Amino acid sequence: MAITWLADQADTAFPPLEHATEHGLLAAGGDLSPTRLITAYQSGIFPWFNRQDPVLWWCPDPRMVLYTDQVNISKSLRKTIRQRRFELSLNQAFTEVMQACAEPRSEAKDDPGTWIHDSMIAAYRDLHQRGYAHSIECWQSGKLVGGLYGVAIGRVFFGESMFSFERDASKVALSALCAQLFRWGFPMIDCQIYSPHLHRMGAENIPRQVFVNQLAILTKLQGPTQWLLDADISDSVYL
């Protein structure tokens, strides 16, 4: 089946999800306007493309999700949390988190984060300013050492990328985010595609149709009016 080309920037409609390839590629082209991005996420679609490529839109089957009440906190991570090695914040360094996520990964030299390029950063910074995109940061001695960012619509958080410059920093950030989202009534985080790292933290694959059915309900609910971490969240990360 041929990939649909989204040429008309005024039309943000996407083809039926069943038209995606076996790898999840659904469409190409279009733009990264706020309207198109929000429409995409509400439909279970996300952009993922290298700097030199056209915009590529994906909706894989199965879909990896992390339920916020089923996070697996390992013994070593629990110890790190108890040691209070990091300070946490929400939405204090959104652009810096994206830039850190874009840096080459020593453990993945063939995937140096080239999909988080200038046009992606600009588009998600716009979403952040509109109240849709959010970051959680991990600090150590005033230095940003870990975190993640994503998009929230209704009561679903769509995770995009995470980074860690210090051991366990991104895991602490994700654990804290799950704890806060659970309090706000967010049942799940979209993790997009399978990764061993997220699987170890409790994420699981579910059928695409199940995921989309959940989105249809959760994205219509009212989300939090303010994105602030509760003062005791560091003490309540599943200890």
Side-chain angles (χ1 to χ4, degrees):
M1 184 178 295
I3 298 299
T4 299
W5 183 262
L6 307 177
D8 184 1
Q9 294 186 358
D11 182 5
T12 59
F14 287 91
L17 302 185
E18 295 76 16
H19 289 191
T21 69
E22 62 176 320
H23 300 296
L25 180 58
L26 178 66
D31 60 4
L32 296 174
S33 68
T35 301
R36 192 186 297 274
L37 282 170
I38 292 168
T39 299
Y41 281 107
Q42 288 174 325
S43 306
I45 302 164
F46 60 89
W48 184 28
F49 61 103
N50 290 327
R51 188 189 311 272
Q52 69 275 14
D53 295 331
V55 182
L56 301 178
W57 301 93
W58 303 78
C59 188
D61 188 11
R63 191 67 163 243
M64 175 158 267
V65 301
L66 176 59
Y67 291 104
T68 57
D69 64 344
Q70 298 179 22
V71 183
N72 179 32
I73 306 296
S74 68
K75 185 178 295 185
S76 62
L77 179 56
R78 202 178 299 271
K79 180 180 179 180
T80 298
I81 294 171
R82 286 175 174 159
Q83 289 173 341
R84 300 177 181 273
R85 290 165 43 195
F86 307 114
E87 296 179 358
L88 295 162
S89 63
L90 266 176
N91 288 338
Q92 296 303 301
F94 182 84
T95 300
E96 291 86 347
V97 168
M98 282 202 73
Q99 291 169 337
C101 288
E103 291 192 13
R105 313 292 175 90
S106 58
E107 73 276 11
K109 297 182 185 298
D110 59 336
D111 181 21
T114 55
W115 63 275
I116 307 176
H117 37 75
D118 290 346
S119 60
M120 290 285 281
I121 292 174
Y124 283 81
R125 187 166 51 211
D126 189 0
L127 284 184
H128 174 62
Q129 293 168 348
R130 295 168 184 261
Y132 289 100
H134 306 278
S135 61
I136 183 165
E137 302 90 17
C138 229
W139 307 86
Q140 190 172 63
S141 302
K143 181 181 178 182
L144 182 64
V145 296
L148 61 93
Y149 77 95
V151 174
I153 300 176
R155 294 189 187 175
V156 181
F157 189 87
F158 302 87
E160 278 295 315
S161 187
M162 58 200 304
F163 79 98
S164 187
F165 295 153
E166 294 289 339
R167 182 177 178 181
D168 286 342
S170 62
K171 294 179 183 178
V172 170
L174 178 58
S175 300
L177 178 63
C178 284
Q180 186 65 68
L181 292 176
F182 178 75
R183 288 187 179 183
W184 285 337
F186 284 62
M188 71 177 180
I189 294 177
D190 172 30
C191 301
Q192 299 181 346
I193 59 175
Y194 177 88
S195 81
H197 166 69
L198 291 171
H199 179 66
R200 286 191 293 270
M201 289 199 69
E204 60 184 271
N205 277 336
I206 63 173
R208 178 172 59 202
Q209 191 57 54
V210 172
F211 174 71
V212 172
N213 291 346
Q214 293 176 355
L215 288 188
I217 298 170
L218 296 172
T219 57
K220 291 180 174 61
L221 300 178
Q222 178 65 47
T225 56
Q226 284 189 314
W227 279 68
L228 296 171
L229 283 176
D230 291 344
D232 66 335
I233 205 68
S234 295
D235 298 320
S236 64
V237 183
Y238 308 102
L239 295 180

